[in-house]
Structure formats: C-alpha cells, structure tokens
Amino acid sequence: MRFENTIPTKEELQEEIIQTVASSVLNTRRKIDYLLEIDANFYTQLGSQKTASEVKTVKMLSQAIYKAIKALDKETGELLLKNQDAK
C-alpha cells in the first residue's frame, strides 16, 4: 500500500485519490475500501508521541479522503464527514 510508512503531502494524496477514483480495474466498493485503508494507516502512524500539528495534518488528509468517498458514494461520504466534524 502506498503511504504505508509516511504521511504524504496533500498534493501527493490528491494524486493517489485521483488515480484510485479513475481506476477502471476497481469497483466502487474496492475504491472506498482502499481509501479507508489509507486513512486508517495515517492514524496508525501517529502513535502515542503525536503533536498537535501532526493530528491537524492527518485530519485534513482524512477530510480529502472522505470527500473523494462522497463522490463515489454520497451517503457513506456524508456520514464520514459528519462524524469527523462531530469530534
């Protein structure tokens, strides 16, 4: 998986999102699963020594992922974005 050991810049993530969403090989469910896998990996990388800046960056990246998911599946994307805002 890409970004397994690093947290990317927003531009790098956007590039990966575009490639994933545009993929004709993956079905919609697999695209969403892959994007959520990337998102979960970001939070795993934070660890216990996270800084406020790192948390803010990961939340921003998550929001970009959730917006891409919303483009694929409106209901799921809206639920993820709403849940993120509630925190």
mmCIF file of all heavy atoms in Angstrom, residues 46-86:
data_model
loop_
_atom_site.group_PDB
_atom_site.id
_atom_site.type_symbol
_atom_site.label_atom_id
_atom_site.label_comp_id
_atom_site.label_asym_id
_atom_site.label_seq_id
_atom_site.Cartn_x
_atom_site.Cartn_y
_atom_site.Cartn_z
ATOM 1 N N LEU A 46 0.409 7.896 13.542
ATOM 2 C CA LEU A 46 0.540 8.974 14.523
ATOM 3 C C LEU A 46 1.190 8.484 15.815
ATOM 4 O O LEU A 46 2.037 9.157 16.377
ATOM 5 C CB LEU A 46 -0.826 9.595 14.831
ATOM 6 C CG LEU A 46 -1.393 10.534 13.791
ATOM 7 C CD1 LEU A 46 -2.766 11.016 14.214
ATOM 8 C CD2 LEU A 46 -0.475 11.715 13.561
ATOM 9 N N GLY A 47 0.774 7.350 16.296
ATOM 10 C CA GLY A 47 1.360 6.808 17.516
ATOM 11 C C GLY A 47 1.054 7.643 18.744
ATOM 12 O O GLY A 47 0.281 8.593 18.718
ATOM 13 N N SER A 48 1.716 7.305 19.834
ATOM 14 C CA SER A 48 1.436 7.975 21.101
ATOM 15 C C SER A 48 2.204 9.289 21.268
ATOM 16 O O SER A 48 1.880 10.094 22.129
ATOM 17 C CB SER A 48 1.762 7.048 22.272
ATOM 18 O OG SER A 48 3.136 6.709 22.233
ATOM 19 N N GLN A 49 3.204 9.526 20.460
ATOM 20 C CA GLN A 49 4.012 10.744 20.571
ATOM 21 C C GLN A 49 3.606 11.806 19.546
ATOM 22 O O GLN A 49 4.410 12.619 19.122
ATOM 23 C CB GLN A 49 5.500 10.386 20.371
ATOM 24 C CG GLN A 49 6.037 9.376 21.355
ATOM 25 C CD GLN A 49 5.968 9.857 22.788
ATOM 26 O OE1 GLN A 49 6.248 11.022 23.068
ATOM 27 N NE2 GLN A 49 5.587 8.975 23.695
ATOM 28 N N LYS A 50 2.339 11.805 19.187
ATOM 29 C CA LYS A 50 1.858 12.723 18.156
ATOM 30 C C LYS A 50 1.847 14.171 18.644
ATOM 31 O O LYS A 50 1.642 14.446 19.822
ATOM 32 C CB LYS A 50 0.476 12.313 17.693
ATOM 33 C CG LYS A 50 -0.556 12.325 18.802
ATOM 34 C CD LYS A 50 -1.853 11.691 18.351
ATOM 35 C CE LYS A 50 -2.808 11.546 19.475
ATOM 36 N NZ LYS A 50 -2.724 10.308 20.197
ATOM 37 N N THR A 51 2.074 15.076 17.702
ATOM 38 C CA THR A 51 1.991 16.502 18.007
ATOM 39 C C THR A 51 0.649 17.028 17.497
ATOM 40 O O THR A 51 -0.005 16.389 16.664
ATOM 41 C CB THR A 51 3.122 17.288 17.316
ATOM 42 O OG1 THR A 51 2.938 17.201 15.893
ATOM 43 C CG2 THR A 51 4.495 16.752 17.704
ATOM 44 N N ALA A 52 0.265 18.181 17.966
ATOM 45 C CA ALA A 52 -0.990 18.793 17.517
ATOM 46 C C ALA A 52 -0.940 19.064 16.015
ATOM 47 O O ALA A 52 -1.945 18.902 15.315
ATOM 48 C CB ALA A 52 -1.236 20.089 18.276
ATOM 49 N N SER A 53 0.209 19.427 15.523
ATOM 50 C CA SER A 53 0.381 19.687 14.096
ATOM 51 C C SER A 53 0.184 18.418 13.273
ATOM 52 O O SER A 53 -0.451 18.447 12.210
ATOM 53 C CB SER A 53 1.779 20.258 13.846
ATOM 54 O OG SER A 53 2.018 20.386 12.476
ATOM 55 N N GLU A 54 0.708 17.307 13.739
ATOM 56 C CA GLU A 54 0.540 16.038 13.036
ATOM 57 C C GLU A 54 -0.926 15.619 13.009
ATOM 58 O O GLU A 54 -1.428 15.161 11.987
ATOM 59 C CB GLU A 54 1.388 14.945 13.691
ATOM 60 C CG GLU A 54 2.877 15.128 13.500
ATOM 61 C CD GLU A 54 3.695 14.169 14.328
ATOM 62 O OE1 GLU A 54 3.269 13.799 15.439
ATOM 63 O OE2 GLU A 54 4.785 13.791 13.859
ATOM 64 N N VAL A 55 -1.612 15.786 14.118
ATOM 65 C CA VAL A 55 -3.035 15.440 14.191
ATOM 66 C C VAL A 55 -3.829 16.304 13.220
ATOM 67 O O VAL A 55 -4.689 15.808 12.488
ATOM 68 C CB VAL A 55 -3.574 15.590 15.627
ATOM 69 C CG1 VAL A 55 -5.082 15.433 15.663
ATOM 70 C CG2 VAL A 55 -2.905 14.597 16.555
ATOM 71 N N LYS A 56 -3.517 17.580 13.168
ATOM 72 C CA LYS A 56 -4.212 18.504 12.270
ATOM 73 C C LYS A 56 -3.988 18.102 10.813
ATOM 74 O O LYS A 56 -4.927 18.103 10.005
ATOM 75 C CB LYS A 56 -3.723 19.933 12.509
ATOM 76 C CG LYS A 56 -4.440 20.981 11.707
ATOM 77 C CD LYS A 56 -3.948 22.365 12.056
ATOM 78 C CE LYS A 56 -4.662 23.404 11.207
ATOM 79 N NZ LYS A 56 -4.220 24.763 11.507
ATOM 80 N N THR A 57 -2.758 17.741 10.481
ATOM 81 C CA THR A 57 -2.442 17.316 9.117
ATOM 82 C C THR A 57 -3.219 16.065 8.732
ATOM 83 O O THR A 57 -3.808 15.985 7.654
ATOM 84 C CB THR A 57 -0.929 17.055 8.966
ATOM 85 O OG1 THR A 57 -0.222 18.271 9.224
ATOM 86 C CG2 THR A 57 -0.577 16.544 7.582
ATOM 87 N N VAL A 58 -3.248 15.080 9.627
ATOM 88 C CA VAL A 58 -3.955 13.833 9.345
ATOM 89 C C VAL A 58 -5.458 14.079 9.205
ATOM 90 O O VAL A 58 -6.103 13.510 8.329
ATOM 91 C CB VAL A 58 -3.639 12.762 10.409
ATOM 92 C CG1 VAL A 58 -4.580 11.575 10.294
ATOM 93 C CG2 VAL A 58 -2.193 12.310 10.281
ATOM 94 N N LYS A 59 -6.025 14.941 10.021
ATOM 95 C CA LYS A 59 -7.453 15.261 9.902
ATOM 96 C C LYS A 59 -7.754 15.917 8.559
ATOM 97 O O LYS A 59 -8.772 15.639 7.932
ATOM 98 C CB LYS A 59 -7.910 16.159 11.046
ATOM 99 C CG LYS A 59 -8.100 15.409 12.336
ATOM 100 C CD LYS A 59 -8.691 16.295 13.409
ATOM 101 C CE LYS A 59 -8.948 15.479 14.663
ATOM 102 N NZ LYS A 59 -9.625 16.269 15.698
ATOM 103 N N MET A 60 -6.852 16.796 8.099
ATOM 104 C CA MET A 60 -7.024 17.453 6.807
ATOM 105 C C MET A 60 -6.974 16.416 5.681
ATOM 106 O O MET A 60 -7.792 16.445 4.761
ATOM 107 C CB MET A 60 -5.946 18.513 6.589
ATOM 108 C CG MET A 60 -6.040 19.181 5.240
ATOM 109 S SD MET A 60 -4.494 19.873 4.591
ATOM 110 C CE MET A 60 -3.290 18.620 4.873
ATOM 111 N N LEU A 61 -6.040 15.478 5.782
ATOM 112 C CA LEU A 61 -5.921 14.421 4.775
ATOM 113 C C LEU A 61 -7.156 13.519 4.801
ATOM 114 O O LEU A 61 -7.660 13.115 3.752
ATOM 115 C CB LEU A 61 -4.645 13.615 4.988
ATOM 116 C CG LEU A 61 -3.327 14.387 4.792
ATOM 117 C CD1 LEU A 61 -2.142 13.520 5.199
ATOM 118 C CD2 LEU A 61 -3.170 14.890 3.377
ATOM 119 N N SER A 62 -7.645 13.222 5.990
ATOM 120 C CA SER A 62 -8.856 12.404 6.118
ATOM 121 C C SER A 62 -10.039 13.079 5.447
ATOM 122 O O SER A 62 -10.840 12.427 4.772
ATOM 123 C CB SER A 62 -9.190 12.163 7.592
ATOM 124 O OG SER A 62 -8.316 11.242 8.156
ATOM 125 N N GLN A 63 -10.138 14.366 5.626
ATOM 126 C CA GLN A 63 -11.254 15.101 5.024
ATOM 127 C C GLN A 63 -11.196 14.993 3.496
ATOM 128 O O GLN A 63 -12.223 14.814 2.846
ATOM 129 C CB GLN A 63 -11.234 16.556 5.452
ATOM 130 C CG GLN A 63 -12.461 17.320 5.005
ATOM 131 C CD GLN A 63 -12.529 18.707 5.597
ATOM 132 O OE1 GLN A 63 -11.503 19.376 5.738
ATOM 133 N NE2 GLN A 63 -13.715 19.137 5.942
ATOM 134 N N ALA A 64 -9.994 15.067 2.925
ATOM 135 C CA ALA A 64 -9.852 14.920 1.472
ATOM 136 C C ALA A 64 -10.283 13.522 1.029
ATOM 137 O O ALA A 64 -10.958 13.361 0.006
ATOM 138 C CB ALA A 64 -8.406 15.194 1.057
ATOM 139 N N ILE A 65 -9.921 12.519 1.812
ATOM 140 C CA ILE A 65 -10.321 11.143 1.507
ATOM 141 C C ILE A 65 -11.835 11.006 1.591
ATOM 142 O O ILE A 65 -12.472 10.415 0.715
ATOM 143 C CB ILE A 65 -9.611 10.153 2.447
ATOM 144 C CG1 ILE A 65 -8.128 10.064 2.091
ATOM 145 C CG2 ILE A 65 -10.263 8.768 2.388
ATOM 146 C CD1 ILE A 65 -7.288 9.263 3.069
ATOM 147 N N TYR A 66 -12.436 11.552 2.627
ATOM 148 C CA TYR A 66 -13.878 11.436 2.815
ATOM 149 C C TYR A 66 -14.651 12.157 1.703
ATOM 150 O O TYR A 66 -15.714 11.713 1.281
ATOM 151 C CB TYR A 66 -14.301 11.963 4.180
ATOM 152 C CG TYR A 66 -13.685 11.224 5.346
ATOM 153 C CD1 TYR A 66 -13.648 11.791 6.598
ATOM 154 C CD2 TYR A 66 -13.119 9.957 5.191
ATOM 155 C CE1 TYR A 66 -13.089 11.122 7.685
ATOM 156 C CE2 TYR A 66 -12.549 9.287 6.259
ATOM 157 C CZ TYR A 66 -12.536 9.866 7.500
ATOM 158 O OH TYR A 66 -11.963 9.205 8.566
ATOM 159 N N LYS A 67 -14.114 13.261 1.220
ATOM 160 C CA LYS A 67 -14.758 13.966 0.107
ATOM 161 C C LYS A 67 -14.693 13.127 -1.167
ATOM 162 O O LYS A 67 -15.645 13.111 -1.951
ATOM 163 C CB LYS A 67 -14.109 15.336 -0.113
ATOM 164 C CG LYS A 67 -14.502 16.341 0.953
ATOM 165 C CD LYS A 67 -13.836 17.678 0.726
ATOM 166 C CE LYS A 67 -14.250 18.665 1.813
ATOM 167 N NZ LYS A 67 -13.601 19.977 1.645
ATOM 168 N N ALA A 68 -13.572 12.430 -1.365
ATOM 169 C CA ALA A 68 -13.466 11.535 -2.527
ATOM 170 C C ALA A 68 -14.453 10.384 -2.404
ATOM 171 O O ALA A 68 -15.086 9.989 -3.391
ATOM 172 C CB ALA A 68 -12.038 11.006 -2.649
ATOM 173 N N ILE A 69 -14.603 9.868 -1.191
ATOM 174 C CA ILE A 69 -15.571 8.791 -0.961
ATOM 175 C C ILE A 69 -16.983 9.299 -1.227
ATOM 176 O O ILE A 69 -17.803 8.596 -1.825
ATOM 177 C CB ILE A 69 -15.433 8.218 0.464
ATOM 178 C CG1 ILE A 69 -14.110 7.456 0.575
ATOM 179 C CG2 ILE A 69 -16.621 7.335 0.833
ATOM 180 C CD1 ILE A 69 -13.738 7.018 1.976
ATOM 181 N N LYS A 70 -17.253 10.526 -0.842
ATOM 182 C CA LYS A 70 -18.572 11.112 -1.086
ATOM 183 C C LYS A 70 -18.867 11.188 -2.580
ATOM 184 O O LYS A 70 -20.008 11.005 -2.996
ATOM 185 C CB LYS A 70 -18.651 12.506 -0.461
ATOM 186 C CG LYS A 70 -20.003 13.163 -0.583
ATOM 187 C CD LYS A 70 -20.023 14.505 0.112
ATOM 188 C CE LYS A 70 -21.350 15.210 -0.125
ATOM 189 N NZ LYS A 70 -21.373 16.532 0.503
ATOM 190 N N ALA A 71 -17.826 11.411 -3.392
ATOM 191 C CA ALA A 71 -18.020 11.443 -4.843
ATOM 192 C C ALA A 71 -18.381 10.055 -5.387
ATOM 193 O O ALA A 71 -19.084 9.946 -6.386
ATOM 194 C CB ALA A 71 -16.762 11.960 -5.530
ATOM 195 N N LEU A 72 -17.908 9.020 -4.706
ATOM 196 C CA LEU A 72 -18.198 7.646 -5.118
ATOM 197 C C LEU A 72 -19.515 7.139 -4.545
ATOM 198 O O LEU A 72 -20.260 6.419 -5.207
ATOM 199 C CB LEU A 72 -17.072 6.709 -4.660
ATOM 200 C CG LEU A 72 -15.705 6.923 -5.294
ATOM 201 C CD1 LEU A 72 -14.644 6.151 -4.535
ATOM 202 C CD2 LEU A 72 -15.741 6.507 -6.756
ATOM 203 N N ASP A 73 -19.778 7.498 -3.288
ATOM 204 C CA ASP A 73 -20.976 7.038 -2.575
ATOM 205 C C ASP A 73 -21.405 8.168 -1.644
ATOM 206 O O ASP A 73 -20.830 8.339 -0.561
ATOM 207 C CB ASP A 73 -20.661 5.769 -1.791
ATOM 208 C CG ASP A 73 -21.845 5.218 -1.014
ATOM 209 O OD1 ASP A 73 -22.799 5.973 -0.737
ATOM 210 O OD2 ASP A 73 -21.802 4.035 -0.649
ATOM 211 N N LYS A 74 -22.365 8.937 -2.080
ATOM 212 C CA LYS A 74 -22.771 10.151 -1.366
ATOM 213 C C LYS A 74 -23.124 9.884 0.097
ATOM 214 O O LYS A 74 -22.665 10.585 0.995
ATOM 215 C CB LYS A 74 -23.948 10.810 -2.084
ATOM 216 C CG LYS A 74 -24.321 12.139 -1.492
ATOM 217 C CD LYS A 74 -25.417 12.815 -2.284
ATOM 218 C CE LYS A 74 -25.756 14.145 -1.631
ATOM 219 N NZ LYS A 74 -26.792 14.860 -2.343
ATOM 220 N N GLU A 75 -23.925 8.869 0.348
ATOM 221 C CA GLU A 75 -24.381 8.596 1.709
ATOM 222 C C GLU A 75 -23.212 8.254 2.642
ATOM 223 O O GLU A 75 -23.114 8.794 3.748
ATOM 224 C CB GLU A 75 -25.384 7.446 1.694
ATOM 225 C CG GLU A 75 -26.006 7.159 3.045
ATOM 226 C CD GLU A 75 -27.023 6.029 2.973
ATOM 227 O OE1 GLU A 75 -27.567 5.759 1.896
ATOM 228 O OE2 GLU A 75 -27.265 5.426 4.021
ATOM 229 N N THR A 76 -22.333 7.384 2.209
ATOM 230 C CA THR A 76 -21.186 6.993 3.028
ATOM 231 C C THR A 76 -20.265 8.176 3.264
ATOM 232 O O THR A 76 -19.814 8.408 4.388
ATOM 233 C CB THR A 76 -20.407 5.841 2.359
ATOM 234 O OG1 THR A 76 -21.291 4.729 2.191
ATOM 235 C CG2 THR A 76 -19.211 5.418 3.183
ATOM 236 N N GLY A 77 -19.988 8.938 2.210
ATOM 237 C CA GLY A 77 -19.114 10.105 2.337
ATOM 238 C C GLY A 77 -19.675 11.143 3.289
ATOM 239 O O GLY A 77 -18.948 11.696 4.124
ATOM 240 N N GLU A 78 -20.961 11.409 3.188
ATOM 241 C CA GLU A 78 -21.584 12.389 4.090
ATOM 242 C C GLU A 78 -21.524 11.916 5.540
ATOM 243 O O GLU A 78 -21.280 12.707 6.448
ATOM 244 C CB GLU A 78 -23.024 12.653 3.668
ATOM 245 C CG GLU A 78 -23.131 13.519 2.437
ATOM 246 C CD GLU A 78 -24.556 13.757 1.975
ATOM 247 O OE1 GLU A 78 -25.496 13.127 2.509
ATOM 248 O OE2 GLU A 78 -24.733 14.584 1.058
ATOM 249 N N LEU A 79 -21.738 10.631 5.749
ATOM 250 C CA LEU A 79 -21.665 10.070 7.098
ATOM 251 C C LEU A 79 -20.258 10.222 7.680
ATOM 252 O O LEU A 79 -20.099 10.625 8.836
ATOM 253 C CB LEU A 79 -22.077 8.597 7.073
ATOM 254 C CG LEU A 79 -22.114 7.868 8.398
ATOM 255 C CD1 LEU A 79 -23.157 8.478 9.328
ATOM 256 C CD2 LEU A 79 -22.418 6.397 8.182
ATOM 257 N N LEU A 80 -19.244 9.926 6.884
ATOM 258 C CA LEU A 80 -17.863 10.057 7.353
ATOM 259 C C LEU A 80 -17.517 11.509 7.665
ATOM 260 O O LEU A 80 -16.898 11.799 8.690
ATOM 261 C CB LEU A 80 -16.899 9.498 6.302
ATOM 262 C CG LEU A 80 -16.912 7.982 6.132
ATOM 263 C CD1 LEU A 80 -16.191 7.581 4.862
ATOM 264 C CD2 LEU A 80 -16.302 7.297 7.341
ATOM 265 N N LEU A 81 -17.915 12.407 6.787
ATOM 266 C CA LEU A 81 -17.626 13.845 7.012
ATOM 267 C C LEU A 81 -18.359 14.366 8.245
ATOM 268 O O LEU A 81 -17.798 15.098 9.047
ATOM 269 C CB LEU A 81 -18.006 14.657 5.778
ATOM 270 C CG LEU A 81 -17.062 14.515 4.584
ATOM 271 C CD1 LEU A 81 -17.706 15.076 3.331
ATOM 272 C CD2 LEU A 81 -15.738 15.202 4.871
ATOM 273 N N LYS A 82 -19.619 13.951 8.400
ATOM 274 C CA LYS A 82 -20.393 14.381 9.563
ATOM 275 C C LYS A 82 -19.764 13.858 10.848
ATOM 276 O O LYS A 82 -19.647 14.585 11.837
ATOM 277 C CB LYS A 82 -21.838 13.872 9.438
ATOM 278 C CG LYS A 82 -22.744 14.312 10.557
ATOM 279 C CD LYS A 82 -24.141 13.794 10.333
ATOM 280 C CE LYS A 82 -25.033 14.168 11.483
ATOM 281 N NZ LYS A 82 -26.393 13.635 11.324
ATOM 282 N N ASN A 83 -19.331 12.606 10.835
ATOM 283 C CA ASN A 83 -18.709 12.008 12.011
ATOM 284 C C ASN A 83 -17.392 12.699 12.343
ATOM 285 O O ASN A 83 -17.054 12.896 13.504
ATOM 286 C CB ASN A 83 -18.481 10.513 11.799
ATOM 287 C CG ASN A 83 -18.058 9.824 13.067
ATOM 288 O OD1 ASN A 83 -18.541 10.137 14.143
ATOM 289 N ND2 ASN A 83 -17.136 8.877 12.937
ATOM 290 N N GLN A 84 -16.632 13.075 11.338
ATOM 291 C CA GLN A 84 -15.359 13.757 11.572
ATOM 292 C C GLN A 84 -15.606 15.132 12.205
ATOM 293 O O GLN A 84 -14.889 15.541 13.101
ATOM 294 C CB GLN A 84 -14.582 13.923 10.276
ATOM 295 C CG GLN A 84 -13.194 14.525 10.507
ATOM 296 C CD GLN A 84 -12.445 14.769 9.227
ATOM 297 O OE1 GLN A 84 -13.016 15.188 8.226
ATOM 298 N NE2 GLN A 84 -11.160 14.525 9.262
ATOM 299 N N ASP A 85 -16.625 15.815 11.745
ATOM 300 C CA ASP A 85 -16.957 17.145 12.295
ATOM 301 C C ASP A 85 -17.425 17.075 13.733
ATOM 302 O O ASP A 85 -17.275 18.021 14.496
ATOM 303 C CB ASP A 85 -18.018 17.838 11.441
ATOM 304 C CG ASP A 85 -17.496 18.237 10.084
ATOM 305 O OD1 ASP A 85 -16.262 18.317 9.912
ATOM 306 O OD2 ASP A 85 -18.320 18.458 9.172
ATOM 307 N N ALA A 86 -17.997 15.938 14.129
ATOM 308 C CA ALA A 86 -18.532 15.782 15.486
ATOM 309 C C ALA A 86 -17.422 15.642 16.524
ATOM 310 O O ALA A 86 -17.666 15.813 17.709
ATOM 311 C CB ALA A 86 -19.448 14.573 15.539
#
